[in-house]
Amino acid sequence: MTDFDQPCTIVIAPDSFKGTAGAADAARAIAAGWASVRPADRLHLAPMADGGEGTLDAFETAVRGATRMPITVRGPDDGPVDTHWLQLPDGTAVVELANTSGITLIDELDPLGAHSLGFGQAIAAALQAGAHRLLLAIGGSASTDGGVGTLVALGAEFTDEDDRPIRLGNIGLGTVSTIDSTRLRPVPPGGAQILSDVTNPLLGVAGAAAVFGPQKGATTRQVARLDSNLRRLARLVRTSRFGHVDPDAPGAGAAGGVGFGLLAWGATMSPGAGTVGEALGVPQAVAGAQLVITGEGRFDAQSAAGKVPGYVAGVAAAVGVPILLVAGSIDTDPTGFADCRSLAQLAGGADAAMADPLVWLEIAGARLAETVGSPAWT
């Protein structure tokens, strides 16, 4: 049993608190609060991500020698987006959909017209620069285009009955008649891994349109149209040179179907948090620690199924290290955590917590440090 009266090594590995604080800032704030109470502890900051917003930043923080590669791409609403991809020293490129074709990049939601072309342009730029392996973080998309925009940027051609290029976005899928993949760039020699915490299929009641379409502004009628257009795309892909890609494959519905498009290209699906954690050395860090702290904006029933807190908790449990939780809100029983703090509860409400998240994250870190190892631990 750990003697918490002695200085300890603490791993602080939160996800971003989406829309309010990035993972690196969250880790620093929790660490500051903890150090204000237990200054002798050794704090190892390991900001995490699950394939969504902040994945690229997590790699940049953790991998020495990582280099941002600036690029301007065509955003999901056709406007220019100044962004970047990340070049790692081993020749791997990390490309993030959220900062190229993400929902935060558009002023008005456009469920039928938004597209993923910019994400594909960033992938193409990484390949052009010589990347031999790709890590593709696909959370936070603005579109439901089945990944067609991404594939167009990589060289595929989608045409209508008059042999004209279809419109980008889901709206164009309703007119697609032919797919030509002869000019499609190949997957790099080291492969392309899709990082995602989403396991939804492409189609149906659990698919990209039904589950995520409303978040992107789709009405009930538009959801039906989005799904119908994706179904048309899936039929054509099945008979094209892409070969058979199962639209029911777990993760095919991720990012509005970008998961499906990337699977058709030849990429492989990987659990986002697990792949990021392994790449960042989280298991090794946890194995050498006496305590772990993780967190995210909203801890709910899905948190244990592929999201950062569930992954980090599993790593800690495997080596018998106790784990603590900090979350913006805690909406389900945090089974397996020795102690937890909700920012909304500390601040007296969600609005107050979101107005100044770093302050409340620091307070949460301090409160956890004050009770570390106490009989109140579950």
Side-chain angles (χ1 to χ4, degrees):
M1 181 176 292
T2 299
D3 181 4
F4 288 107
D5 291 332
Q6 300 298 317
C8 297
T9 297
I10 316 296
V11 172
I12 302 176
D15 196 355
S16 64
F17 285 61
K18 291 182 174 56
T20 59
D25 287 338
R28 284 191 287 266
I30 294 168
W34 187 278
S36 71
V37 176
R38 295 176 57 96
D41 285 345
R42 299 170 294 275
L43 304 182
H44 178 100
L45 274 56
M48 273 286 295
D50 58 14
E53 179 183 358
T55 298
L56 193 147
D57 292 339
F59 275 93
E60 185 178 24
T61 299
V63 180
R64 182 174 297 178
T67 305
R68 288 193 180 204
M69 306 298 289
I71 185 175
T72 300
V73 301
R74 187 171 161 189
D77 60 356
D78 289 332
V81 173
D82 294 324
T83 186
H84 56 276
W85 55 277
L86 195 68
Q87 187 176 61
L88 304 186
D90 67 355
T92 297
V94 186
V95 188
E96 184 177 292
L97 187 148
N99 72 6
T100 52
S101 301
I103 196 167
T104 62
L105 301 176
I106 57 177
D107 294 326
E108 274 189 53
L109 298 177
D110 186 4
L112 288 165
H115 57 76
S116 62
L117 183 80
F119 182 52
Q121 290 176 324
I123 295 171
L127 293 173
Q128 188 66 32
H132 81 86
R133 174 176 175 246
L134 294 171
L135 295 177
L136 305 174
I138 65 171
S141 75
S143 69
T144 311
D145 73 347
V148 165
T150 296
L151 294 175
V152 166
L154 292 171
E157 298 178 5
F158 295 78
T159 53
D160 62 18
E161 291 181 350
D162 297 320
D163 203 30
R164 296 174 303 189
I166 64 170
R167 287 178 59 182
L168 290 175
N170 182 280
I171 194 169
L173 305 185
T175 63
V176 65
S177 177
T178 303
I179 302 173
D180 185 350
S181 60
T182 56
R183 296 182 180 85
L184 186 67
R185 286 177 177 268
V187 171
Q193 285 181 271
I194 307 164
L195 309 183
S196 176
D197 66 343
V198 171
T199 57
N200 300 68
L202 180 67
L203 307 170
V205 295
V211 175
F212 304 111
Q215 300 171 9
K216 301 172 186 180
T219 64
T220 300
R221 180 174 295 181
Q222 286 174 327
V223 164
R225 184 178 179 187
L226 294 171
D227 189 69
S228 175
N229 289 348
L230 288 172
R231 199 170 296 275
R232 179 186 180 99
L233 172 68
R235 286 197 302 268
L236 284 170
V237 165
R238 191 177 299 119
T239 59
S240 73
R241 293 186 181 180
F242 282 115
H244 178 68
V245 182
D246 187 359
D248 290 329
V258 169
F260 177 76
L262 291 174
L263 288 171
W265 182 41
T268 57
M269 190 67 66
S270 302
T275 302
V276 173
E278 291 291 333
L280 301 185
V282 170
Q284 295 87 340
V286 170
Q290 284 76 56
L291 188 66
V292 179
I293 305 172
T294 189
E296 64 178 346
R298 180 184 178 187
F299 184 84
D300 58 21
Q302 295 183 351
S303 296
K307 293 186 179 292
V308 166
Y311 163 73
V312 178
V315 170
V319 292
V321 176
I323 185 165
L324 311 179
L325 173 69
V326 178
S329 65
I330 298 176
D331 300 337
T332 191
D333 182 20
T335 302
F337 292 91
D339 201 357
C340 60
R341 290 295 184 275
S342 159
L343 304 191
Q345 188 172 34
L346 289 171
D351 290 343
M354 289 189 290
D356 216 342
L358 297 182
V359 168
W360 294 107
L361 282 162
E362 186 169 339
I363 291 171
R367 295 288 175 84
L368 286 171
E370 289 167 355
T371 58
V372 65
S374 74
W377 275 27
T378 56

